[in-house]
Amino acid sequence: GEITCGVLGERLPKLDLFGHNVNLAARMEQSGKPQKIRVTSEFRELVNDVVVGVDWGEEEVIEVKNMGRVGTYIMDPLR
């Protein structure tokens, strides 16, 4: 998705990213689990035929602040 990038500040400039997907990633990280990766249902659909050796588990719908309900999966590499 689209993001906007900008430099903030003059004395101590910092690069920052803005946009829907940046906010979604931050919210999903907050509800994540150690050593696991939370991905959206849309991401799983895109890579499901390509990515092997991953246990996707059951879909979990999470409530994302200011965005509503989002379908997610926990990506757990098989050992």
Side-chain angles (χ1 to χ4, degrees), residues 6-43:
V7 177
L8 303 175
E10 291 182 14
R11 285 188 46 208
L12 297 170
K14 295 181 182 179
L15 182 66
D16 206 349
L17 300 173
F18 307 90
H20 173 78
N21 289 332
V22 175
N23 293 333
L24 177 58
R27 303 284 191 237
M28 288 176 52
E29 183 179 27
Q30 292 171 356
S31 65
K33 298 179 181 179
Q35 305 300 314
K36 307 286 190 280
I37 301 170
R38 184 179 296 276
V39 298
T40 62
S41 299
E42 290 83 5
F43 177 84

Side-chain angles (χ1 to χ4, degrees), residues 30-78:
Q30 292 171 356
S31 65
K33 298 179 181 179
Q35 305 300 314
K36 307 286 190 280
I37 301 170
R38 184 179 296 276
V39 298
T40 62
S41 299
E42 290 83 5
F43 177 84
R44 181 181 181 239
E45 289 175 22
L46 286 172
V47 302
N48 195 40
D49 294 335
V50 180
V51 176
V52 295
V54 171
D55 176 18
W56 294 103
E58 295 293 319
E59 182 176 28
E60 181 181 346
V61 177
I62 62 171
E63 188 72 30
V64 179
K65 182 179 175 183
N66 299 326
M67 295 180 198
R69 297 167 57 85
V70 177
T72 66
Y73 286 88
I74 297 293
M75 204 170 142
D76 187 10
L78 298 175

